[in-house]
Amino acid sequence: MSGELLLGVDIGTYSAKGVLCTPIGDIVASATIEHGLSLPRPGWAEHDADAVWWAGFVGLCRQLWAQGFRGDQVAGVGVSAIGACLLPVDDRGRPLRPGILYGIDTRASEEIAWLNARFGEEPMFELGGMALTSQAIGPKILWLRRHEPDIYGRTANLLAASSYLVLRLTGEHVMDQHTASYYNPLFDLRGLAWDERFAEPIVELGTLPPLRWPTEIVGELTAEASAATGLAVGTPVTAGTIDAAAEAISVGVVEPGDMMVMYGTTMFFIHVTRDPVPDARMWSTAFVLPGSYSIEGGMSTTGALTRWFRDTLGGSEVAAEAAGGPNAYAALADSAAAVPAGSEGLVCLPYFAGERTPINDPNARGVYAGLTLSHGLGHLYRASLEGTAYGVRHNLETMEQMGSTPKRLVAVGGGAKNPLWLQIVSDAAGLPQDVPETTIGASYGDAFLVGLATGLVPGLDALREWVKPASTFRPRAAERAVYDAYYPVYRELYESSKDQLHALARLGSAATG
Amino acid sequence: MDLYLGLDLGTSAIKALLVDPEGRVRGVGSAEYPVHHPQPGYAEQDPNDWWAATVAAVRQAIGWAPAGSRVAGIGVAGQMHGAVLLGDDDLPVAPAIIWADGRSWRQVAEITERIGAAKLIDTAGRAVAAGFQAATIAWLQKERSSLWWRTRRVLSPKDELRRRLTGEIATDPGEASGTLLLDVRWRTWSPDLLKAVGVEEAKLPPLRPAVAPAGGLSVGSAVELGLPAGAPVVVGTGDAPAGLLGAGIVDPDTMLLSISTGAQVMVPATFVIPDPAGRSHTFCAALEPGTDRPGWYQMGATLVAGMALRWLRDEMLGQAGPDAYERMTTWAGEAPAGSRGLLFLPFMVGERSPHMDSRLRAAFLGLGAHHGRNEVVRAVMEGTVLACFDAFEVLREGGATPSRIVMAGGGARSPVWRQIVADVFGLPVHALATADQAAFGAAILAAAGIGGLDPVATARAWSSTGPPLPPTDRGSARYAELVPLYREATEATRSISHKLVDFAEPARGPIVPMRPSRRG
């Protein structure tokens, strides 16, 4: 090990990103590769492990070397990837099928119902701290066993995306505690270990990899991996983790009470806690730093809602942009900014694709209520942003009820470039949000984690140098008072109309034209 | 050739039609006049503006008429409910206070309390509302007592127009039911209602059938109009009953469904059963009751129909150009019945039938990423028709059993909208081809009263509709699922609407000001 640069690599749903950093957090090179998401059937979402994950890693390395760097300058490699997923490999580590992805893959709903009936929801929740949802990997293993018994029969090991990269790099089978938290009902959240209580119908526990922390070096680069990547033989590699958690690290969300709010295609929350705080409405996990836990949550339609709005109702704005005018989102945001808080009596339920936490209702649907002739496009757009803000407040309120109130919010993701949206969320949720001026993403957190693991980064305090300066959006009293009045109406609207929304969801999936 | 002149004194313009004895339109004219809003919520018009527009419209129509023709009779129709105040010399002493005027909203409760809601509805055929002559009279007594003291008569707008033509003072049961002072069952001024409002019968015009001759053109008005003095004029009727007649809807088997800004459903009736809850209204028709002569009609009105589509066009989709509606309804035709699970409740300004709730609000429910503009436009069209169906349910409870629908208004031009109506109601739909049916109905009354033609046979022979559009199995099945959902969703969002109205419109009177389009 002669180099002193840290390599962080993250494989996301649609792209992969790699950064080379110095031990004080200066980025010397970065690279990005786009890739596809395979949706072979309704409810299925897959990535090919070699063509997407491994090829992504290798491709990023080549891009970095093309910028004048060499593999032997790298002192350590940290990796992260998409939310917990499932890849069966044979006894020589070869993938037996494409990887089955995280919560957007909903194929195991029958298996969830079967497990709930067989064991009861309560005992499984006791063990894992989470209800079984489409995020849970246990039911997906059961799905594999039932629907693809040949493949299951040849499976020697079950891996997540980050653990597959670690396997290709080092030959080691490992999984980090944070990823394993989503392997419920096979993981003991308090004992931080695999548990056989509910394993018998699902899996032979021996096929699950040993558990490690993302702050640990778990192996060294093999000759074969060196030949493929250009990294030096013997380069240390961490256990890896899930991208959202690595992103939280990258913006300094590490202390109990810190919470990351990710404004992406969907909204995602990671709230760091000292102890496990299980609640059936949210997801409780071991965090990436040993000795800490996290409450996680996610909304289903947030960035996707603004995109739907632009594409469906923003025809004039899109046309104006095409004719050289302002960006359509900016034009919509401008018209929304001209509308006062509360959108003059308009409330939106943003459940366009159902909702995850805290209502966990895949058959919920979107609503605009309170419409009058006086409402224009700006009102509806603002109401959409406010709907997502009420959703954030609902999640925060749920955490509060769990006895774990976030103390500091850090906003990241593409939507965090929209100051109007950030201000609305701060006003509606009643909490300030720190917004880093630039965010690099999960790969930067991966680099920090391997820095910690190799000792090149002395400790968590070093994050003060790594994390970029932030501005702060604070709640404003007048707007907050308006949202305090509207929020109960938002909650009531879902409760009073959910039966009709479920019926409309059924009609919507039945209508084919 | 003999021609009959039909006039329709609308809210924004007068229409004049010259119709030959075969029912062919031989001349058309129209002219506009303003509505004045001297205070928020007030809506007034100047009867002199009406007259000037009448002269212009009639002269236009005559310009079209074939050489050698003569006007054999004149019928009048017009906007209902309003009040024209005449002094000692039978000339107006103040601007007319029209139906859209909201100043008398406090008097609505007072009158209702004085007579009792049940008795009021059973006598007058519906609940009283601001802008109706009964409420306006009560307001005048309380707020403008000296003006009321100088008022010798109160006329409805079209009766003022006929007074201007002939000097005769009269009204008809169809018009008079719009004042809310008539006993609709007996077709006479109701002593109880007159007492509750505090008006003597002497201040109201005598009641005569709509087809009854009511004098001839005075010399002065004949000169202004360019018509022969003495040309005979019939009493005529309000625009709603005249429109029914003009559309040829003269039997209880046929329903008129008009989709314009708002929507109305109207079915002729041979007997009177006012809805006890006042969710619809039962008024006198243009025909006097008799064998095969439905003397009444039931009507339900929804506030938002075409208005919602215009809102979508201007505020949401930003569609411009003369073919914008056609483009939008074509998109709607590309989405399946039920709009893939997207439901629109059209209560953008509250709702009349059957909810009578000005604080209901509109909503989209069931939105998903799979909905595009096709579904959004279709859902809006479907929502307005579901609202009509709900209004119709009240008529059905009142005994209406139509077997076909004649569709009128701008909405009737869209084949997609017609099919939605056919599928929601499960009845064949005919598009009305006759235009300006209230003025046309007034011409029919003239032909009956002056020319001696049978009004029912004439209405059937003169009006024209398109071929029947039958309901489809697939669409009917889908809407059978959607109708109960629409009703449940309305109830599910009712208290939400009320709270949001309180938040957004805290200190508002009963009048909804309409804002101009944001997109211009």
Side-chain angles (χ1 to χ4, degrees), chain A residues 169-314:
Chain A
L169 290 169
T170 67
E172 298 291 333
H173 293 96
V174 297
M175 186 181 290
D176 68 300
Q177 301 277 7
H178 182 63
T179 305
S181 305
Y182 284 101
Y183 271 58
N184 53 337
L186 305 169
F187 180 73
D188 175 359
L189 182 65
R190 289 174 188 78
L192 299 172
W194 298 122
D195 192 286
E196 61 187 355
R197 228 167 301 176
F198 310 110
E200 181 267 319
I202 302 173
V203 70
E204 177 62 45
L205 279 188
T207 57
L208 297 173
L211 295 170
R212 306 287 294 274
W213 291 98
T215 50
E216 292 180 73
I217 298 299
V218 297
E220 296 178 344
L221 215 77
T222 63
E224 198 185 340
S226 172
T229 63
L231 289 160
V233 175
T235 307
V237 178
T238 66
T241 190
I242 292 175
D243 53 8
E247 176 136 20
I249 297 293
S250 80
V251 292
V253 170
V254 291
E255 293 291 328
D258 288 353
M259 176 164 138
M260 179 182 75
V261 180
M262 189 193 277
Y263 292 75
T265 307
T266 68
M267 196 81 101
F268 196 83
F269 314 105
I270 297 183
H271 171 202
V272 182
T273 59
R274 199 171 305 281
D275 302 302
V277 194
D279 186 289
R281 293 167 294 181
M282 306 296 290
W283 310 321
S284 290
T285 62
F287 193 48
V288 290
L289 304 172
S292 63
Y293 285 84
S294 56
I295 303 170
E296 301 188 352
M299 293 161 60
S300 288
T301 330
T302 42
L305 172 53
T306 55
R307 173 180 288 271
W308 176 88
F309 198 96
R310 184 196 64 174
D311 293 347
T312 306
L313 297 174

Side-chain angles (χ1 to χ4, degrees), chain A residues 308 313 316 366 375 492 513, chain B residues 311 367 371 474 495 499 519:
Chain A
W308 176 88
L313 297 174
S316 320
H375 291 121
E492 183 189 343
Chain B
W311 173 81
L367 280 160
H371 295 128
R474 194 193 181 111
S495 81
K499 283 175 191 163
R519 289 184 191 249

